[in-house]
Amino acid sequence: MFYREAGQFKTSYKSDQALFPILQDRIGMIAILLIAFVLVPAFANDFFLTSIMIPFLVFSLAAIGLNVLTGYCGQLSLGTGAFMGVGAYAAYKLTSIFPDANVIVMVLVSGVFSAAIGAVFGLPSLRIKGLYLAVTTLAAQFFLEWCFIRIPWLYNYNASGAIEVPHREMLGVVITGAEATPIARYFAVLSITALIAYLMANVLRGRFGRSWMMIRDMDIAAELMGIRPLRTKLMAFAVSSYICGVAGAMMVFFWLSAAEPSSFNIRLSFQILFMVILGGLGSLGGAFMGAAFIWILPVFLKFIPGIMGFNVAAETVQHATFMIVGALIIFFLIAEPHGFARLWQIAKQKLRVWPFPY
Amino acid sequence: MLYDIFIDPFVQMYQMPDFFLQVLWEGFVAGILYALIALGFVLIFKASGVFNFAQGIMVVFAALTLVGLHENGVPAFLALILTIAVMGVLAYGVERVVMRPLVNQPDIILLMATIGLTYFLVGFGEFVFGGEPKRMITEELGLPTGSTAFEMGERGLVILQHIDIAAAVIAVIMVTALGIFFNKTRIGRALRAVADDHQAALSVGISLNQIWAIVWFAAGLVALATGIMWGARSDVSFALEIVAFKALPVLILGGFTSIPGAIVGGLIIGFGEKIGELYWGGLVGGGIESWLAYIIALVFLLFRPQGLFGERIIERI
């Protein structure tokens, strides 16, 4: 009833190629953006911003990055955490070498380093496929993690071995470092995430996105049709690592404010992979839904015993959270292996034909 | 610099043969244990095409159950039997709850399901037995402890831990038993049939569910043996999880479907890692053990993408 595109005719190429050709989608998008840019900052408290919204947006961006590689190009990767780390360390080095430059620009530039390293580790993808490739991306994970520990130049020879985000301002507002307000950080994260999501939505509909999907669906057939596999796969690795790198830089600069090498360990890689799989492989909206589920659920679970009046030790809650998350992952894989994005599609289809079942 | 890389390590190997032999032995033992973990992976991959990421955590879980039961007053051998029973229940549960509903899903979904299982087992194990490291009950199980030193004339001595020798012997027994099981028994033949083609196996009356439960149980037993051996060398804790990640390069070296591949791959990784760490690691600041195995496997894969003993996959459009 509410979601029906009957009567919405496209009369120009421009409207046919629009990002959201259906009126209801456009309204929904504007509503989401309004909520994100106006309502959330207006009403949310600091806790909600710093421990739910900022990490959620950071992880969404990382999930988009991994989705480009795994969901759209079909190359399974377990090294996401390390590529995020490359972005974070690159941003840290850049902003300590150029202290006067705009920190947002530095965050965006740091992804370039991540992209270069991602492309190098993507080289074996030409010969190795599927699960074998997944194991080789673990090489990147462990090697880069080792680099973060063993190369003191990366963390400016700190005694602690960790990176600490310096105080940086933009237009007179402090946006990084300990004094930055959650609102300022939230706006920085939200703007970058929205910008990259918008750009990717267009890239993925275009020439690159389509050649990635061809490689994913059947690489040999794609090659016969004139897609160059090496170039296309490396492009996917580079773009994916760029986005992950930016997400990693944001994670350190706008959320954690300090990070150790162990922040980028394999747990992080798995977390991002879960977001992509549960959200739906090959869907941008799914990346957001998956990130919301994986990040917000444990935060939520942490507070349930308190709300219900039980007094449970923090450790027990943590163990229970592990169990519940594991069980829910298995449950969702069984119930809907194509992820939340697929559920969303089904819901839209139901609305389209409502009140009839078919 | 070049001297340090290409000549000095070999000079050291020649001048201190006792140290070199000791390193070789360490590598051998580590390799055997990696191979045992990889064996669990291979068993499950062969029979169901599932890349069982949870194998590493099953190792920890088995060892933890054994030690935890003993701590609660169960005698050692009864605890061993109970742990075997627990692994059986786990195998059945996994088959029933996780694998059966996911038949025919793509590889990546099955892989994710086993990662979900990993999370669940981590939480469950810590929930029941607590998260702090525990000591493996080596003596109570009648396994040898202590060590023997072998003199090598005037050139020093090599120390062998008895538990390592036991680990090697048990590994050999286990591989032989699995080999016989796979090749000579009725269930073994059924397993190979299932590995070849699920549908064809079903149509000649082999019960897929039963086979999967058996395979997961066998993998659980391998996990238990590995857990005991590894736990005897260090404490039993979830830090052992890292060891499972070492089994992955072993797997891609040997090929996902080959039992001999797992053994040979394990030995190559074990030797390569220890020798690399002790003779070349110092040049780049040490700690290269964490990734050397992966780099060895990666370089190797570039020349032989299907692994040492893996089957070449023929692709058609």
Side-chain angles (χ1 to χ4, degrees):
Chain A
M1 184 168 71
F2 303 111
Y3 189 82
R4 195 168 286 169
E5 68 259 42
Q8 299 181 25
F9 300 113
K10 295 158 195 158
T11 49
S12 64
Y13 284 112
K14 195 164 174 269
S15 67
D16 194 38
Q17 291 174 349
L19 189 54
F20 297 105
I22 299 169
L23 178 67
Q24 285 88 339
D25 282 348
R26 281 197 294 273
I27 295 173
M29 205 58 207
I30 290 168
I32 290 174
L33 286 178
L34 271 181
I35 292 172
F37 274 101
V38 181
L39 287 185
V40 170
F43 293 106
N45 58 4
D46 284 1
F47 170 79
F48 183 73
L49 284 179
T50 46
S51 29
I52 293 183
M53 282 314 284
I54 293 177
F56 158 67
L57 287 169
V58 168
F59 284 132
S60 302
L61 189 61
I64 289 174
L66 183 61
N67 218 336
V68 166
L69 189 61
T70 304
Y72 286 93
C73 195
Q75 313 291 311
L76 185 53
S77 166
L78 299 174
T80 326
F83 294 129
M84 288 174 76
V86 173
Y89 277 85
Y92 177 69
K93 277 312 278 188
L94 279 173
T95 188
S96 46
I97 294 171
F98 307 104
D100 297 328
N102 188 325
V103 70
I104 301 255
V105 174
M106 290 295 123
V107 165
L108 289 174
V109 169
S110 65
V112 174
F113 294 87
S114 185
I117 290 182
V120 170
F121 279 99
L123 280 172
S125 67
L126 187 66
R127 295 209 58 177
I128 309 166
K129 282 172 192 151
L131 294 171
Y132 283 83
L133 182 69
V135 179
T136 60
T137 56
L138 276 179
Q141 172 71 44
F142 287 113
F143 179 69
L144 291 172
E145 226 183 301
W146 177 84
C147 288
F148 300 150
I149 300 173
R150 300 283 169 171
I151 305 180
W153 179 79
L154 282 176
Y155 48 86
N156 285 352
Y157 304 93
N158 276 345
S160 60
I163 50 175
E164 268 191 42
V165 176
H167 172 104
R168 292 283 182 271
E169 289 178 9
M170 190 175 91
L171 309 173
V173 182
V174 189
I175 55 170
T176 66
E179 305 95 72
T181 57
I183 297 257
R185 298 193 220 175
Y186 172 74
F187 272 116
V189 171
L190 181 64
S191 316
I192 295 177
T193 306
L195 176 73
I196 292 184
Y198 172 73
L199 288 177
M200 282 325 289
N202 282 305
V203 168
L204 290 170
R205 318 187 291 152
R207 184 194 169 90
F208 284 127
R210 291 190 188 279
S211 47
W212 289 336
M213 286 184 243
M214 285 174 82
I215 290 282
R216 169 192 68 189
D217 291 340
M218 191 168 229
D219 51 352
I220 296 178
E223 194 177 349
L224 291 176
M225 288 176 180
I227 303 284
R228 287 194 225 160
L230 183 63
R231 214 177 65 172
T232 314
K233 286 180 185 174
L234 286 189
M235 193 72 186
F237 266 96
V239 172
S240 157
S241 312
Y242 175 83
I243 299 174
C244 289
V246 172
M250 291 205 312
M251 174 171 140
V252 175
F253 273 67
F254 300 123
W255 175 31
L256 297 173
S257 292
E260 298 172 1
S262 62
S263 316
F264 306 105
N265 65 9
I266 189 146
R267 279 267 152 87
L268 181 65
S269 302
F270 280 132
Q271 234 179 353
I272 310 283
L273 188 60
F274 276 137
M275 291 169 188
V276 171
I277 305 257
L278 286 185
L281 285 164
S283 153
L284 284 185
F288 284 94
M289 290 186 249
F293 182 78
I294 294 283
W295 178 252
I296 295 174
L297 181 80
V299 176
F300 188 61
L301 284 176
K302 217 181 276 178
F303 292 100
I304 284 185
I307 293 166
M308 288 172 62
F310 292 119
N311 193 12
V312 190
E315 274 181 29
T316 320
V317 174
Q318 206 196 347
H319 301 160
T321 309
F322 257 95
M323 281 167 69
I324 293 170
V325 170
L328 274 176
I329 286 165
I330 294 174
F331 170 76
F332 273 106
L333 287 177
I334 291 169
E336 186 49 86
H338 300 287
F340 294 135
R342 175 88 186 124
L343 287 178
W344 177 235
Q345 254 181 8
I346 293 172
K348 281 206 290 195
Q349 185 55 32
K350 294 268 182 218
L351 277 175
R352 231 174 240 151
V353 295
W354 193 83
F356 305 109
Y358 300 108
Chain B
M1 187 66 197
L2 283 176
Y3 173 81
D4 280 344
I5 294 174
F6 292 108
I7 298 167
D8 187 47
F10 297 103
V11 173
Q12 278 184 35
M13 281 180 207
Y14 180 74
Q15 281 173 347
M16 292 192 290
D18 56 330
F19 183 65
F20 181 58
L21 277 180
Q22 186 77 50
V23 171
L24 279 186
W25 172 250
E26 294 282 325
F28 174 72
V29 177
I32 287 281
L33 288 167
Y34 295 153
L36 275 179
I37 301 182
L39 203 59
F41 277 105
V42 169
L43 276 177
I44 290 176
F45 193 83
K46 248 176 112 70
S48 57
V50 176
F51 186 89
N52 176 25
F53 201 85
Q55 182 67 28
I57 218 66
M58 276 164 70
V59 169
V60 183
F61 185 72
L64 202 63
T65 311
L66 180 64
V67 178
L69 284 173
H70 186 71
E71 273 185 358
N72 289 326
V74 183
F77 278 95
L78 187 62
L80 188 65
I81 292 165
L82 280 178
T83 310
I84 292 173
V86 168
M87 295 321 278
V89 172
L90 180 70
Y92 180 76
V94 167
E95 192 279 319
R96 188 73 194 80
V97 179
V98 184
M99 302 324 299
R100 205 184 290 181
L102 283 175
V103 168
N104 260 343
Q105 292 294 343
D107 288 349
I108 181 169
I109 301 293
L110 292 166
L111 171 70
M112 292 311 291
T114 61
I115 300 179
L117 182 67
T118 309
Y119 271 59
F120 181 79
L121 283 181
V122 170
F124 186 66
E126 293 198 345
F127 187 69
V128 177
F129 300 111
E132 68 278 6
K134 292 182 170 48
R135 195 187 59 83
M136 177 44 81
I137 42 169
T138 320
E139 294 115 60
E140 290 87 336
L141 285 170
L143 289 169
T145 50
S147 57
T148 313
F150 286 97
E151 299 251 0
M152 301 174 53
E154 66 267 28
R155 312 200 71 165
L157 70 171
V158 179
I159 299 166
L160 305 186
Q161 300 281 342
H162 287 168
I163 188 76
D164 293 346
I165 302 173
V169 171
I170 288 178
V172 170
I173 293 172
M174 227 151 142
V175 171
T176 322
L178 283 172
I180 293 172
F181 177 68
F182 259 83
N183 288 315
K184 303 285 179 197
T185 65
R186 199 182 145 79
I187 295 174
R189 273 204 295 278
L191 277 178
R192 281 185 293 149
V194 171
D196 272 354
D197 190 335
H198 289 184
Q199 283 200 329
L202 269 176
S203 64
V204 294
I206 293 168
S207 157
L208 271 188
N209 300 331
Q210 197 190 347
I211 293 299
W212 283 349
I214 290 172
V215 165
W216 276 82
F217 181 52
L221 289 186
V222 174
L224 176 61
T226 321
I228 293 173
M229 292 308 158
W230 206 280
R233 289 164 59 82
S234 56
D235 284 334
V236 179
S237 73
F238 280 91
L240 276 184
E241 209 185 341
I242 295 299
V243 177
F245 288 122
K246 283 292 168 52
L248 297 176
V250 170
L251 274 175
I252 53 176
L253 250 182
F256 282 145
T257 50
S258 162
I259 290 181
I263 309 289
V264 175
L267 290 179
I268 292 176
I269 295 287
F271 283 131
E273 188 179 273
K274 291 284 185 251
I275 292 174
E277 169 75 42
L278 285 161
Y279 288 101
W280 281 276
L283 299 177
V284 286
I288 63 172
E289 246 182 307
S290 62
W291 51 265
L292 190 64
Y294 286 92
I295 301 294
I296 295 175
L298 188 63
V299 170
F300 184 82
L301 274 189
L302 290 178
F303 295 101
R304 209 178 143 79
Q306 71 273 32
L308 260 182
F309 296 92
E311 293 153 29
R312 184 174 278 273
I313 303 155
I314 299 166
E315 284 184 87
R316 292 201 182 89
I317 294 184

